[in-house]
Structure formats: structure tokens, C-alpha cells
Amino acid sequence: MAEQNCLVANDWICGEYLRSRGHELAEATVQHIWITVASVLIGLVVAFPLALLARRGRHFAAPVLGLTTVLYTVPSLAMFSLLLPLFGLSAALVVTGLVLYSLTILVRNILAGLEAVPQEAREAAEGMGYGPVRLLWEVEVPLALPALMAGLRIATVSTVALTTVGSLVGKGGLGNLIEDALPSFFKAQVLTAAVLCVLLAVAADLLLLGVQRLLTPWTRIRTPAGASAGAGIAKTEAV
């Protein structure tokens, strides 16, 4: 009875709300996840060639970085209004807006990772007969993965938060629940949706961190200075 009364009392924490609205919460969470995943993946596919273009020189870097920065500063309401004639009130509208917002983070981190690749590694690969494409995918991209994954983690967490803005067109996942609860200030619904957003962001960040550790095992290797020096001396003596 006390748990049922928490709905009447409009408490922040209410077990009855979780039981009675479980299906609604699950649907909103699933929508939130797939919009986030689609936006980040498409953003990554778009950002990679843009980063490669920006790496070609200042004449390309300035407009690419400038454009992605400008897109990031556009308010979400204005962004959706501009995209509305193209996509209508659909999930594609929200995904496209989130993709545009993710570009400034992804492009800059991919570009930073590629530029941080040691020139010696490039020269060694070229000396072994690596062409531009093979050099990119087998040498530069693996060495740029730490920066790339860092940008992907930031973009994903940011997109989890921004997805709630999609409630403006009814495609905001957990943001829909927050918007629906605001007129009556339904505390349990607002708090539950907000907590689920935070949990999704933390889970996504931890998942991507685990993927990063699997893909970049060399970043966890700590070679003692003495061992490095000894190895260098041994190589010198061998020569």
C-alpha cells in the first residue's frame, strides 16, 4: 500500500512506478540506444574521410575543422528546424542532427591520432614497400587508435545526452519520458529517465574502454628503463 501511495504522493523514488511502467521504460531505453549507436557509427564513417582530407594540408584543414565547429555551435532547435523539410518528424531527423554534432569531436581526434604517428614508422613501412592504402590501414590507423577511441568515447557519451533533445520531435528515447513528465512534474518518471541516461552513458564509456584495451594491448606494456637501455646496448653490440 505504501508503495502504491508513492505515486499519489509523487515521490522521487517509487518502486510502483518501476513495476507499472516497466514496458514503457524498456521501449524508451531501446529507442535511446539505437538512435545513439546509429548516430555515432554514421558520424564515424563521415568523420574519417573528413579527417583524411584535413590532413592533406592547411588549405583543407581550416575549412573542415571550421565547418564542423560551426555545426556544433548551432542550437538543437535551430538544427532540427533546418533539417525538418528534408526528413520530416522522423528518427532520421534526430540521427542526422546528432551525426553533425559528433563530427567536431570525431574529426579532431582522428586527425590528432594520425598526426601523432611517428614519422619513423611511416618511413620504415614505406621502405618495406607499403603503398598509401596499406600504410594507412596497417600502420597509421592502429597507431592512431588510442586517440581515435578517446574521441569515440567522448562523442558517444555526448550523443547519449543529446539524444534526449530528440523529444522535440517525439524521437528522444528517454527524453520523451522526461518531456512528458514535466507538465505535471512527475518526479519518479523524471528521476528514473535521468538516471537511466546516466547509466547508459557510463555503460557505453566502459564498453568502449574495454574495446580500446583489447585493440591496443601495446599501450598497457610498461618496459623498465633499464631493460630498454639493455636492449639498445645489445642491439648495438650485435651490429
Side-chain angles (χ1 to χ4, degrees), residues 139-176:
V139 178
E140 293 181 318
V141 169
L143 292 177
L145 271 179
L148 189 156
M149 292 299 299
L152 186 61
R153 289 170 59 193
I154 296 172
T156 300
V157 171
S158 175
T159 302
V160 170
L162 287 173
T163 296
T164 58
V165 181
S167 60
L168 293 171
V169 296
K171 302 293 182 180
L174 294 167
N176 293 339

Side-chain angles (χ1 to χ4, degrees), residues 151-216:
L152 186 61
R153 289 170 59 193
I154 296 172
T156 300
V157 171
S158 175
T159 302
V160 170
L162 287 173
T163 296
T164 58
V165 181
S167 60
L168 293 171
V169 296
K171 302 293 182 180
L174 294 167
N176 293 339
L177 299 181
I178 296 175
E179 185 179 24
D180 292 343
L182 287 180
S184 60
F185 196 48
F186 189 0
K187 295 178 181 178
Q189 184 160 307
V190 171
L191 179 63
T192 302
V195 169
L196 285 175
C197 282
V198 173
L199 292 177
L200 283 180
V202 172
D205 188 54
L206 292 176
L207 176 62
L208 289 174
L209 178 60
V211 173
Q212 178 181 343
R213 290 175 64 85
L214 288 175
L215 294 177
T216 59

